[in-house]
Amino acid sequence: MADLKERLRSDLTTAMKARDQVRVATLRMALSAINTEEVAGETHRELSDDEVLKVLGRESKKRRESAEAFDGAGRTELADRERAEQAVLTDYLPTQLSDEELTSIVSAVISETGAAGPQQMGAVMKAVQPQVAGRADGRRVSTEVKRQLSGS
């Protein structure tokens, strides 16, 4: 069984004992999403830690987008709840790249690929994604690639 999934279950038990409602709800949601992913498709399978991280990343992104939507609608209490859930999920995700680290990775890939303009953004994104997988949001990566390609 995946170590991360086991850690989530253990932390859920701890949160229940501590009566931490936000953490309990978030961990239950995360485990539910993992179970759904395991039974999707032809056969039931156990997810690896990397696959569990992808599920948690997807759930974290949903929370961020929901918080932005609630803010836009003036529903700050719901936006705050979504941000609290995202903070819980962030504890289980890899450390995000800083802007400087992302900039250096993108510039290195641009020089390796010899990309010279925005029309080559796809090639650069394809090369950058494996290096930043799970450590930088796709929107951040895309924005940085566009910035560097339009500046060159």
Side-chain angles (χ1 to χ4, degrees):
M1 182 178 293
D3 293 334
L4 184 55
K5 186 176 170 184
E6 197 54 45
R7 183 174 149 216
L8 288 166
R9 286 188 177 141
S10 170
D11 289 353
L12 174 61
T13 303
T14 304
M16 290 170 101
K17 288 178 182 175
R19 299 189 188 280
D20 184 345
Q21 295 304 317
V22 172
R23 186 169 284 276
V24 167
T26 304
L27 292 176
R28 280 185 175 154
M29 171 276 309
L31 286 166
S32 174
I34 291 166
N35 288 336
T36 301
E37 188 76 19
E38 287 177 338
V39 298
E42 297 291 316
T43 59
H44 180 277
R45 62 191 177 88
E46 284 290 322
L47 296 182
S48 68
D49 277 352
D50 287 340
E51 292 169 317
V52 170
L53 281 174
K54 285 181 184 174
V55 171
L56 293 178
R58 197 168 49 233
E59 293 299 319
S60 178
K61 181 179 178 184
K62 286 180 190 176
R63 298 299 163 285
R64 187 188 71 244
E65 290 171 350
S66 295
E68 291 170 2
F70 285 135
D71 276 337
R75 304 287 309 267
T76 55
E77 69 284 350
L78 293 174
D80 291 342
R81 171 73 183 216
E82 294 292 327
R83 281 193 198 89
E85 289 180 3
Q86 184 185 8
V88 171
L89 292 173
T90 302
D91 292 344
Y92 299 94
L93 295 172
T95 306
Q96 295 292 297
L97 292 172
S98 68
D99 290 338
E100 296 79 30
E101 291 169 319
L102 181 59
T103 300
S104 68
I105 289 172
V106 170
S107 59
V109 168
I110 288 174
S111 63
E112 284 173 23
T113 59
Q119 65 276 14
Q120 294 172 316
M121 183 172 169
V124 174
M125 287 294 291
K126 187 175 181 180
V128 168
Q129 284 297 0
Q131 295 182 38
V132 300
R135 299 184 305 146
D137 180 57
R139 189 181 343 168
R140 270 184 68 208
V141 176
S142 171
T143 302
E144 181 59 27
V145 170
K146 280 181 193 169
R147 187 187 70 74
Q148 288 193 29
L149 285 176
S150 60
S152 50

